[in-house]
Amino acid sequence: MILNAIDKKQLTAIVLLDMSKGFDSIDTMTLLTKLEDVGAPCQAIQWFQSYLTSRYRVVRIQTTLSEPLEVKSGVPQGSILGPLLFSIYVNDLPSVPQQCSPYSYVDDTKLLMSFSLQHQQRAISEINQDLLRIRNWCFDNKLLLNPEKTKAMICGSRQMRAKLPNFRLSLLGKEIIPVTSAKDLGVILDSGLTFDSHVQATISSSKFYEKEVNTNCSCLDACNRIIYETDLSYALFNDIANTTSLHNQFTRAHNASTSERQSSSVDVKWRDYLRENILQLSIYFNELSYIRTESVPAYSWESFMAEAGGTLGLFLGASFLTIAELLDFLCHIVAFLFRKRQQNIKD
């Protein structure tokens, strides 16, 4: 939408709405009504009513607990159902604006409108009307917009933005002045769509983590140095001699893929070889430490022979004792029969 407007020599106004404690402000009865509107069965609604009502919170300071206070609004944050219930709660919000194009993702909502310089005042009026409609919808649904954190931004070519006079919006009696950059869903957008601010923020973050790795590395096999580049990231270890050579060949192959006219036939050959035989992986670490896992045999040769010998000795010992006991028992029977026969002969 924004790029199409730029092609038409138009500007695009973006309003990034912010709701104050949206998850905590959900009205339980309104949510149950909206669950019924989307077709939830009666049994499920009763389950959600039991899930969301009769909740209490306490404050603990060391070993002292406050009196329980009933929670009468909101959904449990951090739960799996929290974002889903909030999405159902604001499901009808995108239908409220009549002039702007709304885009929503859970509690992040933005309004977009493209306009020409000649229709600037009309665009301001229509955006303010949609903001008023959204404000009224929030009041009806017991949600509150935060004008302090609501951002407005004008996107377009540099020439068109330079010709734009003062562009002012109003929300809850507060004037919203357009900014040159704003963060939306983790991405820093700028009015020229150059993403320079986002790239600089990413570089600054990577430099911070690089410093943390170099100063607080807890690896058992620490690497000599860690190199960050746009094409290849790698670590130089003492026992890997071909790392530098591989990186050099990768660089030559990359140069061959970007400008074949300035590359030699050897570079082109390496490029084709790497394309067919090398798989490049981008590895990201969640933590600056690792767990070392070592596999060892369950039985060594000595322990196996010892246990086998002990088991065999126990078995053979039991066998000899059993045979001896049987022979002794047979001898007693023979002796008993012999004595009985001798006694019968005497009688």
Side-chain angles (χ1 to χ4, degrees):
M1 178 178 179
I2 300 177
L3 297 179
N4 291 334
I6 294 176
D7 294 337
K8 297 177 182 178
K9 298 186 181 302
Q10 293 180 344
L11 297 170
T12 302
I14 304 177
V15 182
L16 305 174
L17 299 174
D18 183 87
M19 293 185 182
S20 298
K21 298 183 178 181
F23 281 79
D24 295 331
S25 303
I26 291 179
D27 181 68
T28 302
M29 299 309 300
T30 305
L31 175 60
L32 295 177
T33 302
K34 293 191 175 187
L35 285 172
E36 184 178 0
D37 293 339
V38 298
C42 181
Q43 186 176 4
I45 295 177
Q46 293 177 356
W47 186 91
F48 277 112
Q49 184 176 7
S50 175
Y51 172 66
L52 297 173
T53 56
S54 300
R55 288 179 172 269
Y56 293 87
R57 292 179 181 176
V58 296
V59 177
R60 184 179 68 179
I61 301 178
Q62 294 181 354
T63 58
T64 304
L65 294 178
S66 66
E67 293 294 329
L69 180 65
E70 185 178 3
V71 180
K72 299 182 179 180
S73 63
V75 294
Q77 294 197 38
S79 62
I80 298 177
L81 291 174
L84 176 61
L85 293 176
F86 188 88
S87 298
I88 295 175
Y89 194 83
V90 299
N91 185 48
D92 55 331
L93 176 59
S95 62
V96 175
Q98 298 181 5
Q99 307 296 335
C100 300
S101 299
Y103 296 89
S104 298
Y105 181 77
V106 193
D107 59 340
D108 290 309
T109 302
K110 62 185 71 66
L111 302 177
L112 278 76
M113 172 178 283
S114 299
F115 60 93
S116 59
L117 289 175
Q118 295 80 1
H119 301 96
Q120 172 198 349
Q121 295 302 324
R122 187 178 71 179
I124 294 176
S125 176
E126 291 178 349
I127 294 175
N128 283 330
Q129 290 176 11
D130 279 345
L131 289 176
L132 180 61
R133 296 185 182 96
I134 292 177
R135 186 205 66 176
N136 295 335
W137 180 91
C138 289
F139 285 169
D140 294 338
N141 291 271
K142 300 182 181 180
L143 296 176
L144 181 62
L145 290 173
N146 187 354
E148 298 291 340
K149 294 184 178 181
T150 297
K151 304 294 183 182
M153 186 169 57
I154 306 299
C155 295
S157 63
R158 182 182 303 176
Q159 295 79 6
M160 296 296 294
R161 286 185 283 115
K163 298 177 182 179
L164 182 68
N166 294 334
F167 193 94
R168 298 290 189 270
L169 299 175
S170 178
L171 178 63
L172 293 174
K174 179 176 177 58
E175 189 178 51
I176 301 177
I177 302 175
V179 296
T180 57
S181 63
K183 194 171 186 179
D184 180 40
L185 297 177
V187 179
I188 301 177
L189 302 175
D190 58 88
S191 55
L193 297 182
T194 61
F195 294 96
D196 289 341
S197 301
H198 184 75
V199 172
Q200 291 299 325
T202 304
I203 293 175
S204 300
S205 177
S206 65
K207 288 183 178 180
F208 168 78
Y209 285 109
E210 178 183 1
K211 181 179 179 181
E212 288 293 315
V213 169
N214 292 334
T215 57
N216 300 322
C217 182
S218 59
C219 302
L220 297 179
D221 301 323
C223 52
N224 294 335
R225 58 194 176 103
I226 297 179
I227 300 176
Y228 294 94
E229 295 186 3
T230 56
D231 299 322
L232 180 65
S233 298
Y234 66 98
L236 294 180
F237 291 90
N238 293 326
D239 56 346
I240 301 179
N242 296 325
T243 306
T244 304
S245 175
L246 177 61
H247 178 261
N248 293 336
Q249 299 297 345
F250 185 93
T251 304
R252 295 173 62 183
H254 175 71
N255 295 335
S257 62
T258 55
S259 57
E260 293 193 13
R261 293 183 179 180
Q262 301 178 1
S263 304
S264 63
S265 59
V266 177
D267 295 339
V268 175
K269 179 180 178 181
W270 263 103
R271 178 202 63 188
D272 297 336
Y273 174 80
L274 291 176
R275 284 180 177 177
E276 296 176 358
N277 298 276
I278 301 298
L279 175 64
Q280 181 182 354
L281 298 178
S282 298
I283 301 176
Y284 302 91
F285 297 95
N286 290 327
E287 299 179 358
L288 300 180
S289 61
Y290 71 93
I291 300 176
R292 185 169 184 173
T293 304
E294 184 178 358
S295 299
V296 295
Y299 285 96
S300 63
W301 178 252
E302 294 80 3
S303 60
F304 174 75
M305 292 299 297
E307 290 196 14
T311 304
L312 184 61
L314 179 62
F315 175 75
L316 293 177
S319 300
F320 287 137
L321 289 175
T322 303
I323 294 174
E325 289 178 354
L326 288 175
L327 292 176
D328 182 67
F329 179 71
L330 292 175
C331 291
H332 280 81
I333 293 177
V334 171
F336 173 76
L337 294 176
F338 180 77
R339 287 195 300 269
K340 188 175 181 180
R341 183 177 181 182
Q342 291 293 333
Q343 186 178 1
N344 292 333
I345 293 174
K346 291 180 180 181
D347 295 339

